Amino acid sequence: MREVTRAIVLWCPDWPVIAARQHLELPEDVPLALVEKGVVFACSAAARADGVKRGLRMREAQARCPQLEVVPYDPVLDERAFDPVLTAIEQIAPGVQPVRPGTCVLRARGPARYYGGEEQAAAELLRCLDGLSLTEARIGVADGPYAAEQAARSTGGERVRIIPPGGSPGFLAPRPIAQLGLTDLTPLLRRLGLHTLGDLAALDRVDVRERFGERGEHAHDLASGMDSAGVVPRTPPKQLDRAIEFEPPLDRVDQVTFAVRGTAEQFTAGLTKAGLVCTALRVEVTDESGRTSERTWLHPRLFSAADVVDRVRWQLQGSGPTDSGLASPIARVALAPEAVDDIGHHEDGLWGGGADERIHHGLTRVQSMIGHDAVLTATIGGGRALADRQVLVPWGDRPVGVPSADRPWPGSLPAPAPSTVFEVPRPVAVLSPSGETVEVTDRGEVTAPIAAFSATGAARDAKPVDSWAGPWPVRERWWDASLARAMHRFQLVDADGTAWLLALTGTAWFAEARYD
């Protein structure tokens, strides 16, 4: 016999919407939709009332609800906003296991014995959640975490549903087979005539395992109310955040950065004590009026105390694209590690850090003196034009919002890439045997063979052409008149043996790059 744990599941409906609304400080009556890859990931009750639902394309959702507030879905925000909820629950019922943001599970035995029963324990947990303004939270109690979660999601008009011990199989039997969440297995089970969990539970467990393997066996256990998954309490994370408050608020950048230095040292010392280093730092600056400037800073290696102070100063000076600078006196500065790594991965080698370490310290020093955006490093982005692929980012940052070079780019230049790319395309002359400028017709054909080429754009400097290839048409953003671009590309080798990448826009010829 497999042992089944009596479990309590707390479920917060529409948790991604709740987290986003709290972060953006939006009223509850504002229709809100979280979008991921152009599709609605989650939406509020006000949005659902107008016909918006999960899986709908963003344009169709906005057509159904013109006043819809569209926000990109942020899974990191989900987890960060749910952490205070877990902490509050642990104050009254230790041993919480997070299932996903918005859902957690506890062993029922401890809280039930402490508060005098499962119903009393559920009521105490609801009071805790109500104190966090989570008045829509639901609780389910049943044999096994799976049955308890299904009970929490089917409370009806109540906020608590308790399935008596031994009643989980009967409770689960009429529920649809799709609630197992096995998207690849569900269609096959339906074709076999298994439409409910009870239909699957009625089969022999050994037969199910032989036909569907371990996943099928696990699904049979869930449908039978024999979920043997235990509750593994989380280990509360170490308090790595640091904050400093100013009374009275400080109105000068140098005063704030000087005061933050000690907090930055405590922040890095706490990470070192925990055997960690910070690779992504979140800085929250709050002014005396309550407005908050928040930004995540990245680092190629790890943040030292001096690096942390530099980031605070740059954020106060408004050097980033999303910060407005020091508009009013600062009342509070908070430091939080957005991403950490084991300190053993960043130890110096036997003979020191090497040349890369010296380069990093040198560039960081220059950056601290002349500004965050003054030292840039090149990275390769995605795009069809060579100029679009050249992306400059501040030293130490990772490119954000840059199209990926790994995606397919139809019409892009195949390898090998030119070694010299002109920052501004150079005007050139491409001539026919009769000395006229070569053009491309609407049917994509050249008006005459290419016979001469001038790198200066002057016909008198034209030299014979050894070979050429093209045209290759490129047409981008034809639906947007302000960003539309159409051109024809050519590759050409002149009499000196130099290869060029040329582009014809209308009747004007330009050299994009040179193959050295």
Side-chain angles (χ1 to χ4, degrees):
M1 294 296 293
R2 296 181 300 279
E3 182 180 357
V4 180
T5 303
R6 190 78 175 163
I8 301 177
V9 169
L10 291 83
W11 173 56
C12 299
D14 297 333
W15 174 255
V17 175
I18 295 174
R21 180 181 286 122
Q22 291 177 349
H23 179 70
L24 300 174
E25 299 181 356
L26 295 175
E28 292 187 4
D29 56 348
V30 174
L32 177 64
L34 305 182
V35 177
E36 184 179 37
K37 298 180 180 179
V39 176
V40 175
F41 177 82
C43 57
S44 63
R48 288 195 293 270
D50 289 337
V52 181
K53 59 182 180 180
R54 180 184 173 96
L56 208 63
R57 292 192 175 275
M58 182 179 65
R59 296 299 184 190
E60 186 176 352
Q62 290 175 325
R64 296 186 180 186
C65 182
Q67 66 273 23
L68 184 67
E69 186 78 21
V70 177
V71 178
Y73 172 62
D74 185 2
V76 176
L77 175 63
D78 268 10
E79 296 183 7
R80 190 168 68 228
F82 194 56
D83 190 70
V85 178
L86 297 175
T87 303
I89 295 174
E90 287 172 334
Q91 300 298 320
I92 63 171
V96 179
Q97 176 187 351
V99 178
R100 69 186 69 88
T103 305
C104 61
V105 59
L106 306 89
R107 289 179 179 269
R109 180 181 178 184
R113 295 180 64 181
Y114 184 82
Y115 292 106
E118 293 175 347
E119 186 174 352
Q120 292 80 356
E124 191 65 28
L125 291 171
L126 285 179
R127 279 192 290 270
C128 173
L129 296 175
D130 290 343
L132 300 174
S133 301
L134 300 176
T135 56
E136 299 296 325
R138 301 289 185 265
I139 292 180
V141 185
D143 296 336
Y146 175 75
E149 182 173 353
Q150 298 306 314
R153 292 175 177 268
S154 60
T155 56
E158 303 294 330
R159 298 185 63 186
V160 178
R161 184 167 186 177
I162 300 177
I163 308 301
S168 292
F171 162 70
L172 294 172
R175 312 194 73 78
I177 197 73
Q179 291 194 355
L180 287 173
L182 303 176
T183 55
D184 55 340
L185 197 59
T186 299
L188 177 58
L189 295 176
R190 285 174 174 168
R191 289 197 297 270
L192 294 175
L194 306 176
H195 299 285
T196 65
L197 299 182
D199 294 339
L200 178 60
L203 301 177
D204 184 81
R205 184 168 181 265
V206 177
D207 294 340
V208 173
R209 178 182 175 86
E210 291 178 353
R211 175 64 178 82
F212 300 106
E214 293 184 359
R215 298 183 72 239
E217 182 183 27
H218 179 63
H220 185 274
D221 290 344
L222 296 181
S224 305
M226 299 300 295
D227 181 11
S228 58
V231 178
V232 182
R234 72 163 187 163
T235 301
K238 297 180 175 62
Q239 187 62 33
L240 301 176
D241 300 2
R242 292 293 185 272
I244 181 172
E245 298 184 358
F246 307 117
E247 183 60 41
L250 303 180
D251 57 358
R252 291 176 52 187
V253 174
D254 57 345
Q255 291 177 336
V256 176
T257 53
F258 181 79
V260 166
R261 188 174 300 277
T263 304
E265 293 175 352
Q266 296 175 9
F267 173 75
T268 55
L271 288 167
T272 302
K273 185 177 180 180
L276 302 171
V277 294
C278 178
T279 57
L281 170 70
R282 189 174 76 253
V283 178
E284 297 180 1
V285 179
T286 306
D287 62 18
E288 61 179 354
S289 62
R291 293 180 300 180
T292 300
S293 169
E294 178 180 330
R295 178 172 176 180
T296 298
W297 298 86
L298 305 176
H299 199 285
R301 293 189 68 253
L302 57 93
F303 280 98
S304 65
D307 293 331
V308 173
V309 174
D310 284 340
R311 269 55 175 187
V312 173
R313 183 175 72 253
W314 295 339
Q315 186 161 328
L316 293 174
Q317 293 172 341
S319 60
T322 59
D323 303 311
S324 58
L326 188 58
S328 60
I330 300 302
R332 184 175 186 270
V333 175
L335 309 173
E338 191 77 11
V340 296
D341 194 10
D342 191 277
I343 195 172
H345 298 160
H346 298 266
E347 294 288 350
D348 288 340
L350 181 62
W351 309 110
D356 291 345
E357 183 68 16
R358 294 195 298 270
I359 292 173
H360 167 68
H361 282 298
L363 293 178
T364 303
R365 178 61 178 167
V366 174
Q367 197 176 36
S368 65
M369 292 188 293
I370 61 179
H372 176 245
D373 293 330
V375 181
L376 304 178
T377 183
T379 185
I380 298 177
R384 295 176 178 84
L386 295 174
D388 296 339
R389 303 188 64 190
Q390 301 180 59
V391 181
L392 298 178
V393 297
W395 172 257
D397 281 8
R398 300 171 195 159
V400 178
V402 177
S404 173
D406 297 331
R407 297 178 182 176
W409 291 97
S412 61
L413 189 69
S419 54
T420 300
V421 179
F422 304 123
E423 184 176 357
V424 178
R426 298 180 179 180
V428 296
V430 178
L431 307 177
S432 66
S434 62
E436 297 179 354
T437 300
V438 177
E439 298 180 4
V440 176
T441 66
D442 294 339
R443 299 180 64 87
E445 299 176 349
V446 293
T447 56
I450 297 177
F453 167 74
S454 172
T456 63
R460 63 179 180 272
D461 299 330
K463 297 180 180 180
V465 170
D466 184 68
S467 60
W468 61 276
W472 298 292
V474 176
R475 190 180 182 189
E476 295 183 303
R477 298 185 178 272
W478 50 267
W479 60 89
D480 190 339
S482 60
L483 299 176
R485 179 172 60 179
M487 62 179 178
H488 291 84
R489 277 180 165 163
F490 290 78
Q491 288 177 325
L492 178 148
V493 179
D494 60 19
D496 298 331
T498 304
W500 300 81
L501 177 66
L502 307 182
L504 173 63
T505 304
T507 59
W509 284 89
F510 297 93
E512 285 190 272
R514 184 176 62 234
Y515 294 87
D516 295 330

